[in-house]
Amino acid sequence: MERFEGMVEGIIYENQSNGYTVCDASSGGHLYTLTGYMPGLSEGEKIIAMGEWKNHPEYGQQFSVSSFERIMPKTENEIELYLGSGILPHVGRSTARKIVELFGSDALQVIEEEPQRLTEIKGISKAKADEIHKRYVEQIGIKNIVVFFQKFGVSPSLAVKAYRTFGQGVVRVAEENPFALSGIDGFTFKVCDRIREEMKLPPTFEPRICAGIVSTLLNAAYLSGHTYLPKGQLVAQTKAVLEIDAMGVEDAISKLSLDGTLKTISYEEFDAVYLDMFYDAEKGVAKRLRDMSSLIFDIDSREMEEAVEKAESELQMVLAPEQKDAVFAAFENSAMVITGGPGTGKTTIINAIINIMKSQGKKVVLAAPTGRAAKRMSEVSGMEAKTIHRLLENLPSEGGRVCFARNEKNKLDCDAVIVDEMSMVDILLMHSLLLALPVGARLIMVGDCDQLPAVGAGNVLRDIIDSECLACVKLTEIFRQAKKSMIIVNAHRINSGQMPYTNNPEDDFFLVKCSDAESVGEIIADLCERRIPNTYGVDKVLDIQVLTPTRKTAIGVQSLNEILQRRLNPKNGRISEKTVGGCTFRIGDKVMQNKNNYNLQWTRLSDGEKGEGIFNGDVGFVSDINVPKQTMSVVFDDKKVVYDFLDLTEIELAYALTVHKSQGSEFDVVIMPIFDTHRLLTTRNLLYTAVTRAKKLVVLVGKEETLSQFVNNDNVQMRYSGLREKLIIR
């Protein structure tokens, strides 16, 4: 670590939200460029910075700052130069001279402690004196806060977030109860616990136990999809993490239940403990769907038959009997489900329903959980489909919870909502949708219940179907056109426990046999780079998606992405790149958002519309890397997002994705490694989900015996979800 001492001569760039700064500073008669997180820095300040010299290929030698501190001026001359630099509002060179002439070397102390005395100077009103004081104290405060949090490995940008939340009192908050910081994105339980250790607070510190319980339930929701945990499991898991006795955990559960943070519900076999937001969502969804189930519309059968015939004529199609049943059910019921595998005609039914509703003057809106699913819905229906978040007009989140402009007080303007890919909808999103649905409007839910459940918490589609609370049409017939695709035939074979047909040169489903997991990455890279593009004329990056069951091991996302990036977008001295946490991003890379961020701003390239919200699983391409501004631009379909370098932990390479993250998307070509992995991931529904993502070609790479293991393992990972029980309770 090297040391730099000098005076700031000019600010080249400053990110106000996180304090990242590029500045020129003088030292020893020379001018140097400094880069790093230096919040609140101003021209004229003297600083001591620790870091290292780096030689940037485009911008030359720079000092990369890892930590810094201001050197406050002491002599009258230094103070006058400092104040005269414009660092404080309403204070220029002449005013600075007057302040120093009146207060001498005590000038800064007067500004900090007795700002009302500044009014003794002509031209400084009480309001101006207050502004001068506020800005000065803020500068000093931010410096102290950044230095305080650096001891715990907290970045300056995260320290600034804490300051913006709690103000000058954030240090006191951290010292007294570091877990109060856990509501700030980035202050994980581990970070807060590290601060707690430094503060010498005991392991049995009550806020720590409460935060540990909440952290356990959140991990259960977002890592495993549970809306609750049995109390015994919650106590055991929290106890193991905190390394305390069970009694302390049980006492904290009681406390959190009393203040409403937790809800404890008695089921037959155990007590279930919910975080309040998941309990409220389940309860709200169940109540609204039960209410909707009792609302049956009286339709004229003959008129409906005529409407169906007219739709068939206009759309040039013929509906099969079970498809007609689905159309009739959509008009008879306030809420209903249409479920079936690929090739069973779900899209045809949607188009028929839209046609008839429009002919009746009804306003229909289409929605899907992801941008790609919405785009595909638009393409096959010929009308606009939105993500559910966009339909509900998501707003900046409050306390980590998503907010929507469309809600129980501001309903959607429609007569019917058709939602595709319902298997991906989690309990929180479902609750928000139902809150915004007008009374009397129809809700038509379309999805494949045999796919993997949502990435978020809950098992919404499966619970609704299993409850038998709503009308449900299950499509089983595979239509003639679909039977020509071996992808669809094999998807149904896999789903019924039969081995897929492979390697007919005339078909679209292949197994490339390979017994060595260590070499599978290079085989897949060769398929992407050369063999498949040359044979089928597809783009090696845009049209091909590698899917894998796991994140780690030789066939995992991390390993495959490294290999695929090296082959498909190799290092090039002319292409900008940025390395974050061991992952290197380059212009042209295929990347994915790995968490919901409701506050990320985007600009639509086609019309300039602006909005907020990029979501877990959205895939895009790196379009620009701006090193001076420390930003990276990513284009998701038609939306451009500019990320600060600090936020790049929310992005990962996406040449290879887990099957879970591919839900709701379709790709021309899917390649999947088939090797031994954890039994929970070697499942039939995971393979089925991967295969049904492909439109034109599936290539499996691996061992036939492992493929058989996938097909024969019909275990479905259990999710703790109480929606079904709430739906059947009358």
Side-chain angles (χ1 to χ4, degrees), residues 53-293:
W53 291 101
K54 291 185 177 180
N55 194 37
H56 190 277
E58 186 174 352
Y59 302 103
Q61 190 182 46
Q62 298 178 337
F63 190 75
S64 179
V65 177
S66 58
S67 64
F68 85 104
E69 61 177 292
R70 292 177 171 86
I71 305 173
M72 297 308 294
K74 294 182 174 59
T75 68
E76 291 185 8
N77 186 52
E78 288 176 344
I79 293 171
E80 184 177 331
L81 287 172
Y82 171 73
L83 294 176
S85 68
I87 195 170
L88 300 176
H90 312 299
V91 180
R93 290 182 180 178
S94 62
T95 305
R97 187 176 304 113
K98 292 176 184 177
I99 292 173
V100 173
E101 285 176 353
L102 184 58
F103 302 116
S105 59
D106 294 330
L108 296 181
Q109 186 178 345
V110 168
I111 292 172
E112 181 178 2
E113 298 175 3
E114 301 176 278
Q116 69 278 3
R117 293 184 61 191
L118 293 173
T119 59
E120 298 172 25
I121 297 170
K122 187 177 180 180
I124 299 182
S125 63
K126 184 179 184 305
K128 286 183 179 180
D130 288 343
E131 285 187 58
I132 294 169
H133 164 75
K134 182 179 178 182
R135 173 62 176 154
Y136 180 76
V137 170
E138 183 180 64
Q139 278 196 343
I140 302 303
I142 289 178
K143 180 199 78 170
N144 293 336
I145 288 164
V146 168
V147 170
F148 172 81
F149 279 111
Q150 280 178 342
K151 296 182 294 185
F152 314 111
V154 173
S155 69
S157 64
L158 197 51
V160 171
K161 277 187 183 180
Y163 168 77
R164 303 232 186 275
T165 302
F166 290 98
Q168 296 290 342
V170 68
V171 171
R172 180 175 51 79
V173 169
E175 289 174 338
E176 294 177 358
N177 177 15
F179 299 97
L181 303 170
S182 61
I184 302 170
D185 187 30
F187 276 93
T188 64
F189 176 81
K190 286 185 178 179
V191 171
C192 295
D193 205 34
R194 194 159 60 236
I195 298 172
R196 189 269 313 168
E197 283 188 281
E198 290 292 328
M199 294 296 107
K200 301 293 189 290
L201 295 168
T204 54
F205 183 53
E206 187 181 75
R208 177 180 187 253
I209 303 174
C210 292
I213 291 166
V214 171
S215 176
T216 299
L217 286 170
L218 286 173
N219 286 336
Y222 295 122
L223 298 180
S224 302
H226 303 308
T227 59
Y228 69 83
L229 283 178
K231 186 175 180 180
Q233 286 193 29
L234 175 60
V235 171
Q237 290 180 29
T238 307
K239 172 188 167 186
V241 170
L242 302 182
E243 297 181 337
I244 62 171
D245 62 56
M247 184 63 72
V249 177
E250 292 187 1
D251 289 345
I253 289 174
S254 298
K255 177 183 181 298
L256 291 170
S257 298
L258 286 172
D259 69 21
T261 302
L262 303 182
K263 300 279 197 239
T264 302
I265 307 299
S266 293
Y267 290 131
E268 283 188 15
E269 298 177 1
F270 49 71
D271 286 343
V273 182
Y274 287 83
L275 281 173
D276 60 340
M277 62 179 174
F278 295 117
Y279 175 79
D280 292 343
E282 273 192 0
K283 185 178 178 181
V285 168
K287 183 181 186 307
R288 183 68 196 276
L289 289 181
R290 286 202 313 270
D291 290 345
M292 294 178 77
S293 71

Side-chain angles (χ1 to χ4, degrees), residues 477-672:
E477 181 182 353
I478 307 175
F479 291 96
R480 187 186 311 165
Q481 187 69 23
K483 288 180 180 177
K484 295 179 182 179
S485 167
M486 198 53 59
I487 295 173
I488 291 176
V489 170
N490 280 337
H492 286 273
R493 287 182 64 82
I494 290 166
N495 204 30
S496 62
Q498 297 175 285
M499 285 288 284
Y501 299 123
T502 61
N503 295 354
N504 184 333
E506 303 300 318
D507 289 334
D508 51 14
F509 203 105
F510 295 89
L511 172 63
V512 176
K513 294 183 179 180
C514 171
S515 58
D516 179 16
E518 298 302 321
S519 61
V520 71
E522 295 299 336
I523 292 173
I524 289 175
D526 190 50
L527 286 165
C528 293
E529 182 184 22
R530 185 180 61 84
R531 291 168 62 181
I532 292 176
N534 291 348
T535 304
Y536 295 92
V538 297
D539 186 277
K540 62 183 180 181
V541 176
L542 292 174
D543 301 327
I544 301 175
Q545 184 61 59
V546 177
L547 302 180
T548 178
T550 182
R551 294 194 62 83
K552 298 180 180 179
T553 76
I555 65 162
V557 164
Q558 295 172 353
S559 176
L560 291 174
N561 270 321
E562 289 176 8
I563 295 169
L564 291 165
Q565 183 193 45
R566 187 174 69 243
R567 293 282 289 270
L568 303 179
N569 190 24
K571 186 177 181 64
N572 182 324
R574 297 186 301 275
I575 299 177
S576 295
E577 61 180 48
K578 172 64 179 176
T579 300
V580 177
C583 179
T584 299
F585 298 104
R586 299 188 185 111
I587 292 176
D589 271 337
K590 190 177 191 177
V591 295
M592 180 188 66
Q593 176 78 11
N594 59 30
K595 63 179 288 188
N596 288 339
N597 188 327
Y598 304 103
N599 301 326
L600 265 181
Q601 296 185 336
W602 50 259
T603 302
R604 197 178 303 283
L605 296 176
S606 58
D607 57 15
E609 178 189 352
K610 295 187 182 298
E612 293 176 325
I614 297 294
F615 306 105
N616 190 352
D618 286 353
V619 173
F621 292 86
V622 178
S623 62
D624 180 62
I625 296 175
N626 190 321
V627 176
K629 291 188 175 181
Q630 299 283 286
T631 60
M632 186 172 90
S633 299
V634 178
V635 176
F636 297 92
D637 291 325
D638 192 30
K639 294 188 290 192
K640 179 180 178 180
V641 177
V642 180
Y643 289 86
D644 186 275
F645 278 176
L646 275 181
D647 297 324
L648 292 186
T649 53
E650 296 185 8
I651 292 287
E652 59 189 73
L653 293 175
Y655 298 101
L657 302 175
T658 62
V659 178
H660 286 81
K661 287 296 181 75
S662 74
Q663 290 175 262
S665 300
E666 274 192 345
F667 314 97
D668 283 352
V669 180
V670 166
I671 303 174
M672 180 177 173

Side-chain angles (χ1 to χ4, degrees), residues 9-22:
E9 301 290 347
I11 303 297
I12 299 170
Y13 170 78
E14 181 182 16
N15 186 321
Q16 294 287 346
S17 64
N18 62 32
Y20 182 84
T21 304
V22 180

